Amino acid sequence: MAAIETSLRHPAPPPGARPDWTIDQGWSTYGADEHRVWTTLYERQLSILPGRACESFLRGLDALDLHRGGIPDFHRINPELQKLTGWSVVAVPGLVPDAVFFEHLANRRFPAGQFIRRPDQLDYLSEPDIFHDVFGHVPMLTDPVFADYMQAYGKGGLRAQGLDHLHHLARLYWYTVEFGLMDTAEGLRIYGAGIVSSRAESVFCLEDPSPHRLGFDLERVMRTLYRIDDFQQVYFVISSLEALRQVTLEDFGPLYQRLSGAPDLAIDTVLPGERVLNHGSQAYAQAATDAGRGATPATTALAS
Ligand code: HBI
Ligand code: FE
């Protein structure tokens, strides 16, 4: 039991945060320069996302009116979001322990970083800020099917706490919620938050010949390593949000059994017989490695 208790215990919340790690957003404390960063990032993304982001994402942006300019006030968007899917956004100081994160998701609360990146960090930051979390993740939570998926993911995470399969779940999160693509009648579209909140990767993920684009398979994704420091080397494509929701209805017990005996897959793997939409050249990753940019692939999640 000690092992399970240890994994359930997590560090105490930082000073000023509540036991569930939430803090007040303090919308009135944001300065004009911080609102300007939001508007700059927002307008940059809106110049490239139509035709690249999926319809659910674009509809969610409109439904929550996140283009009103400036950092959204959670007191304004939460009643609208709750009416649509029962979700709300809660402010947190930054990354929270897995157990806390899953507990919020299981209760339809999305933890969003309260801070926004500095003007000199527009293109990369190490921890999810309010632009990554609210612009990237929240519009999809207006879609009832995706909203169900995210809550089921949180419940699955709470169940997996006692097991040593968190890293498998974190990969599922990474390759769907953060970096997922979907098939549509008009072609591939983005639904992953890590992509839609990144100007360069919004283009790279769909158009560059370098990364693999493979059909989504739950067990395969859970075996696949990923990297947290650069563009992804593989993107997984779902046929629909409903198909994604369906995977959470499976009993993960037998799946975890099979995963226990299955070796991890390197990020540039293409398996025989799997659906290959693009067999990537991996040229971008090779150039990054040659330039000494490539870190070792990670297996633990750090939302980008
Ligand atoms: N905390 N605030 C925050 N945001 C995240 O996206 C997040 C987190 N903690 C853990 C986490 N993501 C990952 O471990 C997920 O894969 C569970
Ligand atoms: Fe994220």
Side-chain angles (χ1 to χ4, degrees):
M1 280 306 278
I4 290 184
E5 275 163 20
T6 316
S7 72
L8 286 179
R9 254 205 311 272
H10 47 67
R18 290 179 275 270
D20 64 359
W21 285 64
T22 58
I23 57 175
D24 293 335
Q25 182 190 11
W27 185 79
S28 60
T29 64
Y30 292 120
D33 52 335
E34 290 172 302
H35 286 296
R36 200 171 307 113
V37 168
W38 173 280
T39 303
T40 303
L41 288 169
Y42 185 96
E43 289 171 353
R44 265 187 7 173
Q45 289 312 93
L46 263 290
S47 69
I48 55 169
L49 287 178
R52 290 192 174 95
C54 68
E55 276 310 304
S56 296
F57 177 83
L58 295 170
R59 270 201 303 273
L61 270 187
D62 276 344
L64 298 175
D65 191 7
L66 296 186
H67 45 61
R68 191 171 284 175
I71 297 170
D73 182 348
F74 295 177
H75 288 136
R76 179 179 64 76
I77 62 174
N78 275 342
E80 294 156 7
L81 182 58
Q82 276 154 357
K83 209 183 313 162
L84 288 167
T85 56
W87 275 83
S88 56
V89 191
V90 290
V92 290
L95 283 175
V96 305
D98 284 349
V100 173
F101 187 66
F102 291 131
E103 177 67 22
H104 281 302
L105 296 188
N107 291 283
R108 296 208 172 211
R109 293 188 302 265
F110 189 81
Q114 183 272 349
F115 70 99
I116 194 159
R117 66 194 75 178
R118 295 193 314 271
D120 64 300
Q121 295 173 313
L122 290 190
D123 284 310
Y124 187 75
L125 76 162
S126 58
E127 192 158 340
D129 71 338
I130 194 164
F131 186 78
H132 168 91
D133 281 328
V134 175
F135 180 91
H137 285 282
V138 173
M140 286 303 293
L141 293 174
T142 64
D143 180 292
V145 175
F146 190 78
D148 286 354
Y149 172 72
M150 283 292 274
Q151 180 178 31
Y153 179 86
K155 289 180 177 171
L158 289 176
R159 282 196 301 273
Q161 288 294 325
L163 318 168
D164 63 349
H165 288 283
L166 269 195
H167 62 296
H168 288 127
L169 265 184
R171 292 169 185 170
L172 174 60
Y173 189 87
W174 192 266
Y175 282 119
T176 58
V177 180
E178 293 295 358
F179 291 94
L181 300 180
M182 75 166 75
D183 256 332
T184 76
E186 297 74 36
L188 292 188
R189 289 294 182 267
I190 306 163
Y191 70 96
I195 307 177
V196 285
S197 54
S198 155
R199 176 169 63 170
E201 197 155 4
S202 296
V203 178
F204 175 86
C205 73
L206 293 176
E207 296 160 32
D208 197 289
S210 177
H212 299 319
R213 295 178 189 94
L214 307 174
F216 174 90
D217 172 87
L218 178 62
E219 186 168 335
R220 192 265 198 247
V221 163
M222 285 182 150
R223 291 178 55 200
T224 307
L225 296 174
Y226 60 85
R227 61 189 319 160
I228 59 174
D229 60 341
D230 208 336
F231 294 162
Q232 299 311 304
Q233 293 179 241
V234 59
Y235 299 96
F236 290 96
V237 180
I238 59 173
S239 56
S240 67
L241 292 175
E242 179 52 33
L244 183 62
R245 192 180 68 87
Q246 288 294 324
V247 307
T248 63
L249 307 181
E250 180 179 333
D251 172 5
F252 277 26
L255 171 65
Y256 286 150
Q257 289 292 325
R258 295 195 301 272
L259 285 166
S260 300
D264 290 341
L265 297 170
I267 40 184
D268 57 358
T269 303
V270 177
L271 292 174
E274 73 178 328
R275 183 179 172 225
V276 178
L277 293 88
N278 180 58
H279 192 130
S281 64
Q282 297 298 330
Y284 174 86
Q286 189 53 53
T289 306
D290 296 349
R293 274 205 317 268
T296 45
T299 57
T300 53
L302 247 187
S304 75

